[in-house]
Amino acid sequence: MKQSLNNSVPILVTLAGVVLVCSCGTLIGFIDDVPTLMSFLGHFRVQYFFLMSIVALAAMWMGRRGLAVIAAITILVNFAAIVPIYKAGERPKTAKKRLTVVSLNLYSNSKNYDETKQYLAETNPDIIALMEVTKAWKNALKDVLDKYKHQVN
């Protein structure tokens, strides 16, 4: 059966095509100044790694050592780029700071001013997005909203 696969041109062409695409995608990932569509190809390193592993095994099984070596080189390059991303390590202490966003639909007919002010005081959000804000709501929340120096009306 191995002999019949060795002579199988469609399988060999498919493997060579996969090697070409994955190798080019890997190399493009290292180039800084490429068009956006091309840079997109550099984002699939994990997929290239696993796909090229399968191709390397198939190429070795078919006796195509040259194709297997090219696949192995692509595997190693992708592995070297992937490991630092997934390597377990201590997170920086600054990572504990979080951005708090509150989005409220005030419902223009509602008069729950005190509850809303209390909620905003308790959550102390970094960003507040308010919907259905009337003049009455603006006046009621003025002291809370004044501490936010950037506002869009």
Side-chain angles (χ1 to χ4, degrees), residues 115-133:
E115 289 177 36
T116 304
K117 286 170 72 170
Q118 180 182 351
Y119 175 75
L120 291 173
E122 288 172 2
T123 56
N124 191 25
D126 299 305
I127 298 172
I128 301 174
L130 301 174
M131 292 159 276
E132 294 193 44
V133 181

Side-chain angles (χ1 to χ4, degrees), residues 69-81:
V69 167
I70 295 170
I73 291 169
T74 306
I75 291 168
L76 292 174
V77 170
N78 283 308
F79 184 75

